[in-house]
Amino acid sequence: MAQVLEFKLPDLGEGLTEAEIVRWLVEVGDVVAIDQPVVEVETAKAMVEVPCPYGGVVTARFGEEGAELPVGAPLLTVAVGSVEAATGPQPSDGPHPSDGSHPSDGSGAAGADSGASGNVLVGYGTAAPAARRRRVRPAPAPAALTPTAAGPAPAATAAAAATDSADPRGPIAVISPLVRKLARQHGLDLRQIVGTGRDGLILRTDVESAIRTVDEDRTADAAQVAHPGSKAPDERVALRGVRGAVAEKLSRSRREIPDATCWVDADATALMAARAAMNSAGGSAAGPKVSVLALLARICVAALARFPELNSTVDTDAREIVRLSGVHLGFAAQTERGLVVPVVRDAHTRNAESIGAEIGRLTEAAREGKLTPAQLTGGTFTLNNYGVFGVDGSTPIINHPEAAMLGVGRIMAKPWVHEGELAVRQVVQLSLTFDHRVCDGGTAGGFLRYVADCVEQPAVLLRTL
């Protein structure tokens, strides 16, 4: 016979305590293999597919798409062992045990012939030596599900099931796949139905009764539709997932960091010409295309070497400024899931070509929703290219707990005085938002001026190469 095992939402790392169900990858009644992804969830850091450490038949799912579950909450139950035993009773010529007990593998990880998960899920681990076999006694049926002498009780609605049903975290008392299919087709949660069969077994008549109750409720609701002239209700959007994480981080930045912003216009004509020369070079000088963002990132790294005060963080508990030895450069990226800030690790050890390749790799992963929590944390300075939205300037909010952020507007043709004459040049506005606790305006102004000088005269960078 099959053994029903419960798979709970595992610890996904990085201190995350909850996740939102984005998409179920399996249905009740599906056969799953060990380590097969069963659900796609979104955390405050990334979107991940969660593999199931058990192989067998899915007997229940917990939570609809869009629901938020804490770590440790049940995700689904799997009947491990014989598929026939999991989906329904089979004819047998031999005697049946009167007490309903059956042998089961005491390890609780799989049936007698099942393999073991190779994934390391916090709270599950990997395969362990087989434990001694023992008989597992079935839990006694709750009193609310035991039929009375007067006859079977009528099927209860979802409200009655909340007080009379068994522990919602246990297996569902259903044998027939047809009953499961009927409930699934009508969007019913079998955990909210009290069975009238033997030992609380949910029968087809119980599901049909629940369907009639739901249809009656829907008819009553339709009769109470608001009049055509009434005001439509306001929409409420839950702050969770990436949007919730961004809201919390930006709010904390505003509460804790006394920020200030300075900005300057720069003639980027020479920088654009240098980039064109790099990308058109042939022969031994040829290489991957270099983006404007990669060049600006390399300029930031050089500026931070001259002004290390801005590559720091504030330890409020110790009342200390921590100047960081390495530069882990974050860059703002807008995706369908919202704003994310991937981090280029050890940017101070990379050249413009290497930085550009890493930015491209992380940007592609961000668009596909495959960034890991580790790739979204640990930044020490952020580069924000809001010029891609067609705007010139901004006063961005610092990415807590960093100390500064460089903003870059769009590069566009403008009239500019060049070598004493009016000319049309490629002009960009640069802004620096900084934590006034780590430095004064002189340091921030020096940093921004150095960045502008490198944009206007890229040869200045040769001093640091």
Side-chain angles (χ1 to χ4, degrees), residues 327-393:
V327 177
H328 304 306
L329 189 68
F331 64 95
Q334 191 70 35
T335 70
E336 292 182 356
R337 297 174 58 236
L339 177 68
V340 295
V341 184
V343 177
V344 178
R345 302 285 172 186
D346 300 315
H348 59 287
T349 65
R350 300 173 181 263
N351 57 26
E353 185 176 293
S354 174
I355 291 175
E358 185 66 0
I359 288 176
R361 185 183 71 86
L362 293 171
T363 300
E364 185 64 25
R367 289 172 180 164
E368 296 176 356
K370 295 182 178 179
L371 286 174
T372 65
Q375 292 172 323
L376 292 166
T377 55
T380 63
F381 184 92
T382 296
L383 175 61
N384 187 356
N385 181 22
Y386 44 75
V388 296
F389 302 118
V391 298
D392 296 327

Side-chain angles (χ1 to χ4, degrees), residues 97-106 132-138:
S98 59
D99 62 354
S101 62
H102 59 278
S104 173
D105 186 348
R132 179 174 60 85
R133 290 182 176 273
R134 66 180 185 273
R135 299 178 70 84
V136 179
R137 296 182 181 274

Side-chain angles (χ1 to χ4, degrees), residues 129-223:
R132 179 174 60 85
R133 290 182 176 273
R134 66 180 185 273
R135 299 178 70 84
V136 179
R137 296 182 181 274
L145 299 180
T146 304
T148 63
T157 62
T163 57
D164 297 337
S165 65
D167 182 359
R169 297 179 65 168
I172 302 175
V174 176
I175 291 179
S176 171
L178 295 177
V179 173
R180 292 185 182 278
K181 182 178 180 181
L182 182 63
R184 185 166 62 247
Q185 288 175 340
H186 289 83
L188 295 179
D189 184 358
L190 286 170
R191 294 191 173 279
Q192 305 301 323
I193 300 177
V194 176
T196 60
R198 182 176 180 180
D199 294 332
L201 186 68
I202 299 177
L203 306 177
R204 180 169 183 169
T205 55
D206 300 327
V207 176
E208 291 174 343
S209 177
I211 293 172
R212 288 194 296 270
T213 301
V214 171
D215 290 340
E216 290 171 359
D217 291 343
R218 289 175 179 170
T219 302
D221 291 341

Side-chain angles (χ1 to χ4, degrees), residues 161-461:
T163 57
D164 297 337
S165 65
D167 182 359
R169 297 179 65 168
I172 302 175
V174 176
I175 291 179
S176 171
L178 295 177
V179 173
R180 292 185 182 278
K181 182 178 180 181
L182 182 63
R184 185 166 62 247
Q185 288 175 340
H186 289 83
L188 295 179
D189 184 358
L190 286 170
R191 294 191 173 279
Q192 305 301 323
I193 300 177
V194 176
T196 60
R198 182 176 180 180
D199 294 332
L201 186 68
I202 299 177
L203 306 177
R204 180 169 183 169
T205 55
D206 300 327
V207 176
E208 291 174 343
S209 177
I211 293 172
R212 288 194 296 270
T213 301
V214 171
D215 290 340
E216 290 171 359
D217 291 343
R218 289 175 179 170
T219 302
D221 291 341
Q224 298 176 2
V225 175
H227 296 291
S230 62
K231 179 183 177 181
D234 297 331
E235 180 182 8
R236 289 180 174 267
V237 179
L239 276 175
R240 58 190 181 192
V242 173
R243 187 74 262 161
V246 170
E248 172 58 29
K249 197 161 191 177
L250 296 182
S251 298
R252 183 177 181 184
S253 179
R254 273 287 187 243
R255 288 194 305 267
E256 296 184 9
I257 299 178
D259 60 345
T261 302
C262 53
W263 56 89
V264 65
D265 289 339
D267 181 0
T269 306
L271 180 69
M272 301 302 288
R275 173 177 175 264
M278 292 179 193
N279 293 339
S280 62
S284 59
K289 302 294 184 182
V290 178
S291 67
V292 175
L293 187 61
L295 293 176
L296 291 170
R298 185 63 187 86
I299 291 172
C300 282
V301 172
L304 289 172
R306 295 173 67 94
F307 300 92
E309 298 91 336
L310 294 170
N311 192 56
S312 61
T313 187
V314 176
D315 186 340
T316 54
D317 294 333
R319 294 181 61 82
E320 293 176 342
I321 296 173
V322 183
R323 291 185 181 173
L324 305 169
S325 57
V327 177
H328 304 306
L329 189 68
F331 64 95
Q334 191 70 35
T335 70
E336 292 182 356
R337 297 174 58 236
L339 177 68
V340 295
V341 184
V343 177
V344 178
R345 302 285 172 186
D346 300 315
H348 59 287
T349 65
R350 300 173 181 263
N351 57 26
E353 185 176 293
S354 174
I355 291 175
E358 185 66 0
I359 288 176
R361 185 183 71 86
L362 293 171
T363 300
E364 185 64 25
R367 289 172 180 164
E368 296 176 356
K370 295 182 178 179
L371 286 174
T372 65
Q375 292 172 323
L376 292 166
T377 55
T380 63
F381 184 92
T382 296
L383 175 61
N384 187 356
N385 181 22
Y386 44 75
V388 296
F389 302 118
V391 298
D392 296 327
S394 175
T395 55
I397 300 175
I398 296 175
N399 188 21
H400 185 280
E402 298 170 10
M405 175 186 292
L406 180 71
V408 182
R410 59 178 175 171
I411 301 175
M412 62 180 302
K414 288 184 178 181
W416 190 268
V417 176
H418 176 67
E419 296 181 352
E421 296 183 357
L422 189 63
V424 176
R425 307 287 288 180
Q426 298 294 313
V427 179
V428 62
Q429 185 179 98
L430 306 171
S431 65
L432 177 71
T433 299
F434 64 99
D435 186 341
H436 227 314
R437 295 174 298 179
V438 304
C439 70
D440 295 326
T443 301
F447 175 94
L448 187 59
R449 187 63 258 172
Y450 179 80
V451 171
D453 289 343
C454 291
V455 169
E456 294 184 337
Q457 304 175 59
V460 173
L461 268 180

Side-chain angles (χ1 to χ4, degrees), residues 36-182:
Q36 175 180 334
V38 294
V39 65
E40 190 176 64
V41 301
E42 181 181 42
T43 69
K45 300 293 185 183
M47 189 144 46
V48 296
E49 291 182 350
V50 180
C52 179
Y54 311 131
V57 179
V58 178
T59 58
R61 299 187 319 192
F62 300 91
E64 299 297 325
E65 294 180 356
E68 198 167 62
L69 299 179
V71 169
L75 271 178
L76 48 77
T77 54
V78 179
V80 177
S82 167
V83 174
E84 290 79 6
T87 56
Q90 300 296 324
S92 173
D93 296 331
H96 295 276
S98 59
D99 62 354
S101 62
H102 59 278
S104 173
D105 186 348
S107 66
D113 300 327
S114 299
S117 171
N119 270 324
V120 179
L121 296 175
V122 178
Y124 292 88
T126 55
R132 179 174 60 85
R133 290 182 176 273
R134 66 180 185 273
R135 299 178 70 84
V136 179
R137 296 182 181 274
L145 299 180
T146 304
T148 63
T157 62
T163 57
D164 297 337
S165 65
D167 182 359
R169 297 179 65 168
I172 302 175
V174 176
I175 291 179
S176 171
L178 295 177
V179 173
R180 292 185 182 278
K181 182 178 180 181
L182 182 63

